[in-house]
Amino acid sequence: MMQQGEYDMKTGAGLIACPRCDALHVEEELPVGVTARCIRCGGVLARPRAGAFTQIIALAITTMVLVIAAVFFPFLEISRMGLGHGTSLFGVAMAFSDGFLAPLVVVILGAVIGLPALRAALLVYTLLPLARGRPPYAHAVRAFRLSEQMKPWSMAEIFIIGTAVAMVKVGGLATISFGPAFWAFIALVFVSVANRSFMCSTTIWDAIEDAGARTDGREMVQSA
Amino acid sequence: MSDFLTDGAGTDAPVHNADAFPAPDHADQAILTAHRASLLGCRSCGRVWPEDHRTCERCGAALVPPDRRGLQAVWAWLLAGMVFYVPANLLPMMRTSSLGGLGGGGDATIIGGVIQLAGHGDWFIALVVFAASVMVPIGKFIAIIWLALVAGKPATVGAAHTRLHIYEVVEFIGRWSMIDVFVVAILSALVQLGFVVSIKPGPAAVSFALSVAFTMLAAQSFDPRLIWRGLPLHRRKE
C-alpha cells in the first residue's frame, strides 16, 4: 500500500511512465471527470469517468447480442433475371473455402465475429464484479490483457465499410436486399465506437488493483 | 543515480499530473524519462519497474527497454509485408464470369478493379478502394521505413512531435486496408447467379491479407519511445 504522492526513484513505485514517450509522472488517484495528459507528448494517461464500467458492460452485452443476431440471420440477398441468391455471414467467410485460400475463412470469421464477441465477453468478465464493488474474478488481469491485445484485430467496423463498397460494385448489376444481419452489423459499429470513448485502460488496470486483485503491493490508497 | 532528487529538484523531478494540466511543453526542458532514471516503464499499463525487471507485475506484459535493437522486429515484419504486397498486386483479386463466359469476364487485379469502377463512373468508390489498397499500404511502408531509420537519432522537439503523430496515424490506419479482402469475400459469396454471373476470389486476396497483417505487426513492434531518445538534453545528468 502506498500513500498519495509517495514515490521511490529506485524501484519506480508510485510512478507512471508514458507508454508513448517514456516521460515519468507521479501517480495520483484522479477524481472522476479529470483527464491526465502526458506533459511531454500530450497523450492521455488516464481518464476516469463516472459510471464508465456500467456503460462498458452494457455496450459489451449489446455487442454479444448483435453478433449472435448477425451470425444467425440472413445478411444480404441479390436477385437478377429471376435468379436469386442469399448469403449469411458464414457464407461470406466460406467464399474463401476453396483450396489454398482456406486460411482466410478463419481470418474473416475471427476478425469479424470471433474477436469482437470474445472481447466483449472478456470485458464483461473483468468489469462486472468491479462495477458492483466486489473483488474481481480469478484471472481478471489475464482476461483484460487478452482483450487489450485483441483490440487492433477486431475489425467489425471495417467489414461494414467493405459491405458498402461491395454494394456499389454490384449495384448496377442486380437488385440487393438487406437482411437483419446487415442492420445488426450497422448497430454494432455504433456500439463499438461508443465503447471506445468510454474505455480507459489505465483506469481499468487501476480499478482491478483497487478492488483487490493479486497485486504487486503498490496500489495507491486515497489519503483523504 | 540517486542525485536526481537532491540535485535536480527543479525541472528534473517527475511531474505531478492531477492538479494542473499544462499544454504539452514544447520547450521540453530536460524532461526526466524512465530510461534516464534507470527505470523501465510498462507499455501496457504505465507502471514503472527497476531496469532488470522482465515482466510487469501488475498486468503481466513483457517489459522491453527502449532500444534500437527492437527495430529488428520492425524491419522483419515490414519486409514480410512488402514481399507479400508484390503478388497481391500482380495476381488476380477476383475472377468474374458472366453468361457462362460468353458475356465476357475475366480476372481483375487490385488496380484493374479500380479502373473498372472508375470506368463505370463510380469515382468516389474507386477513390476509396484506391486509397485503401494502394495509397495506404505504400504510404505505410514509406512511413515505417522512415520512422525506423530516424528512431533514436537526434531530433528537435518539434520533429519528435511530428514523428509521434505520423506513428499514430500509421497505427490507426493499418487495419483499414483489410477493406479490399472483405469486399472480395462479400462479392464472391453474394454474386453466385449460376449461368448469369458469378464471382470467385483470386489468389491475391491471401497475399494482400498477409501483407496487411504483417504491416500491422511491424507498426505494433515499433517502440514510439525511441522517437524521443535522441533529443538533446539541456542539462546532462549522466
Side-chain angles (χ1 to χ4, degrees):
Chain A
M1 288 277 179
M2 309 233 355
Q3 288 302 314
Q4 186 87 273
E6 180 189 335
Y7 61 90
D8 184 343
M9 292 302 296
K10 286 244 169 42
T11 62
L15 295 170
I16 290 184
C18 173
R20 305 242 147 195
C21 72
D22 214 26
L24 274 183
H25 302 78
V26 174
E27 189 178 0
E28 284 174 36
E29 292 279 315
L30 294 179
V32 162
V34 173
T35 303
R37 289 184 179 277
C38 173
I39 49 140
R40 183 191 235 177
C41 69
V44 172
L45 293 175
R47 181 187 277 164
R49 287 286 175 268
F53 290 177
T54 323
Q55 267 150 342
I56 297 173
I57 291 169
L59 290 172
I61 292 174
T62 317
T63 306
M64 286 192 278
V65 172
L66 287 174
V67 166
I68 290 168
V71 169
F72 289 105
F73 284 110
F75 184 52
L76 293 168
E77 216 173 326
I78 183 177
S79 60
R80 164 94 197 250
M81 291 181 180
L83 290 167
H85 183 75
T87 184
S88 64
L89 266 182
F90 274 114
V92 172
M94 285 305 167
F96 289 122
S97 57
D98 269 2
F100 72 99
L101 293 176
L104 274 184
V105 175
V106 185
V107 171
I108 291 197
L109 285 180
V112 179
I113 306 169
L115 292 185
L118 191 54
R119 259 200 87 209
L122 288 172
L123 280 179
V124 171
Y125 180 85
T126 314
L127 295 180
L128 196 61
L130 299 185
R132 295 153 86 200
R134 308 241 175 96
Y137 297 131
H139 305 298
V141 171
R142 270 156 94 189
F144 185 59
R145 196 157 77 88
L146 198 60
S147 114
E148 286 289 280
Q149 285 169 335
M150 289 193 286
K151 216 175 184 172
W153 305 99
S154 94
M155 301 185 176
E157 71 270 30
I158 297 166
F159 182 76
I160 209 69
I161 303 291
T163 316
V165 173
M167 293 303 88
V168 173
K169 282 198 173 185
V170 189
L173 199 74
T175 322
I176 304 149
S177 44
F178 305 107
F182 177 80
W183 301 113
F185 245 95
I186 299 275
L188 195 60
V189 174
F190 286 107
V191 169
S192 79
V193 169
N195 212 345
R196 231 158 255 199
S197 64
F198 286 121
M199 278 281 283
C200 166
S201 333
T202 331
T203 316
I204 295 178
W205 282 122
D206 198 40
I208 293 175
E209 199 174 51
D210 286 350
R214 167 209 63 82
T215 59
D216 45 24
R218 285 183 174 189
E219 80 271 22
M220 194 79 63
V221 289
Q222 203 73 265
S223 51
Chain B
M1 97 132 252
S2 63
D3 65 337
F4 286 86
L5 292 178
T6 50
D7 193 36
T11 50
D12 253 9
V15 190
H16 287 257
N17 59 31
D19 25 25
F21 306 105
D25 190 354
H26 289 269
D28 200 68
Q29 345 112 356
I31 283 168
L32 181 61
T33 63
H35 183 75
R36 240 179 262 164
S38 302
L39 294 166
L40 196 49
C42 171
R43 281 197 60 203
S44 147
C45 73
R47 191 136 280 193
V48 181
W49 300 99
E51 247 177 347
D52 52 353
H53 259 59
R54 281 294 156 259
T55 45
C56 173
E57 284 172 36
R58 169 153 80 170
C59 68
L63 295 174
V64 187
D67 195 319
R68 275 182 66 86
R69 271 174 293 181
L71 291 176
Q72 286 175 5
V74 179
W75 287 116
W77 288 124
L78 183 70
L79 202 66
M82 288 168 74
V83 164
F84 277 100
Y85 191 66
V86 175
N89 273 283
L90 296 179
L91 297 174
M93 197 80 172
M94 273 194 290
R95 304 189 156 168
T96 319
S97 59
S98 57
L99 292 173
L102 298 172
D107 297 351
T109 55
I110 291 176
I111 294 287
V114 173
I115 292 170
Q116 260 180 25
L117 275 171
H120 288 293
D122 296 320
W123 284 100
F124 179 70
I125 295 292
L127 205 67
V128 169
V129 176
F130 184 73
S133 30
V134 181
M135 277 157 62
V136 168
I138 292 179
K140 264 188 321 186
F141 295 146
I142 295 172
I144 296 177
I145 289 173
W146 179 69
L147 281 173
L149 284 178
V150 299
K153 304 253 172 74
T156 63
V157 176
H161 280 279
T162 315
R163 290 175 190 177
L164 183 69
H165 198 69
I166 288 173
Y167 169 73
E168 278 169 350
V169 170
V170 166
E171 205 189 24
F172 170 81
I173 220 162
R175 323 154 60 228
W176 288 92
S177 300
M178 281 300 267
I179 285 184
D180 226 32
V181 178
F182 291 146
V183 170
V184 172
I186 293 163
L187 286 180
S188 338
L190 194 60
V191 186
Q192 293 296 337
L193 297 178
F195 188 73
V196 181
V197 61
S198 64
I199 293 178
K200 277 189 149 189
V206 166
S207 36
F208 191 78
L210 283 173
S211 170
V212 173
F214 288 144
T215 320
M216 279 172 71
L217 287 168
Q220 278 176 26
S221 42
F222 180 79
D223 188 341
R225 293 175 300 181
L226 284 174
I227 292 172
W228 306 87
R229 277 218 36 202
L231 293 186
L233 299 178
H234 285 222
R235 291 190 297 152
R236 283 211 171 264
K237 283 291 160 212
E238 291 88 358

